[in-house]
Amino acid sequence: MPHIHTEPSQHDMTVSAYIVLHEGNSWKCLVHFHRKIERLMQIGGHIELNETPWQTMVHELQEESGYKASELMVLQPTSDRITESATVYHPVPFIANTHGVGNEHYHSDWCYGFVASERPQRSPALSESTDLRWLTIEELKAATVSKTAVADVLPIYQFLLDHLESYVQVPASGYSVKKPTGAVATYKRGAPGANN
């Protein structure tokens, strides 16, 4: 999706997937070659105006990597969840950041951590890059030095791997992509003192 907020100093909300796979004797980090910026970066994209962050994450995973949520574990601080019915709860990102993308434009990014047990069985969507790479941290460092990779991909993957043992792996498919069917409150537009 194109940028929504295009005036100087405005932000778009985005989501990113940092996916690791233990293969051989090392952890590998998934990146893909982004066609527009011509560099390696994590899977992710803009949150659509009609989507929740988790809906965006699930569709970006499938479109850009070929993974379904059912094939991944999402890293969470606990396996406990709230099950109250009027609200749909989502997994929490392991980190969030705001970064500049040029032209006085910013992305505020929810970064989700995932663990895969195998490489994806399906290809990315036809409109997406098919250049997927599984890199060790050392290979990612080299790609960062050579400017083949976006600079902030390395420290975020490094942080994830350094703290991997402190997270609980929860099935990503256990979180709903539906929207709530009820409301916890009704906001009255136009009421005195209300923010319309």
Side-chain angles (χ1 to χ4, degrees), residues 16-156:
S16 288
Y18 289 83
I19 307 171
V20 295
L21 168 67
H22 198 265
E23 197 172 58
N25 295 319
S26 63
W27 284 100
K28 305 279 182 74
C29 306
L30 180 62
V31 289
H32 71 129
F33 190 78
H34 194 285
R35 292 173 176 170
K36 289 183 181 174
I37 64 169
E38 299 182 331
R39 288 196 182 171
L40 295 170
M41 65 181 296
Q42 76 282 359
I43 300 298
H46 288 74
I47 298 173
E48 305 274 353
L49 290 175
N50 63 345
E51 286 185 325
T52 68
W54 186 240
Q55 285 174 324
T56 299
M57 187 73 276
V58 169
H59 94 243
E60 292 290 351
L61 278 168
Q62 194 157 347
E63 288 178 5
E64 293 191 352
S65 73
Y67 277 120
K68 290 184 177 179
S70 59
E71 298 168 313
L72 297 169
M73 304 296 279
V74 62
L75 299 174
Q76 293 296 285
T78 176
S79 60
D80 294 337
R81 290 191 293 163
I82 299 173
T83 56
E84 185 270 318
S85 62
T87 300
V88 175
Y89 291 93
H90 310 299
V92 297
F94 76 95
I95 200 167
N97 70 73
T98 298
H99 55 270
V101 294
N103 300 320
E104 295 183 73
H105 185 69
Y106 301 90
H107 287 173
S108 291
D109 194 34
W110 291 25
C111 306
Y112 294 94
F114 295 94
V115 176
S117 59
E118 60 184 1
R119 294 189 181 210
Q121 301 302 303
R122 286 163 302 283
S123 299
L126 293 176
S127 60
E128 301 293 342
S129 170
T130 57
D131 187 355
L132 298 177
R133 303 184 198 180
W134 290 95
L135 304 180
T136 64
I137 281 293
E138 291 306 317
E139 291 168 331
L140 199 49
K141 283 179 185 172
T144 303
V145 169
S146 68
K147 299 189 188 300
T148 307
V150 172
D152 67 352
V153 175
L154 173 63
I156 295 174

Side-chain angles (χ1 to χ4, degrees), residues 162-179:
D162 287 347
H163 297 88
L164 190 60
E165 297 301 317
S166 64
Y167 291 100
V168 178
Q169 296 183 29
V170 178
S173 58
Y175 292 91
S176 178
V177 292
K178 295 180 180 177
K179 291 188 180 172

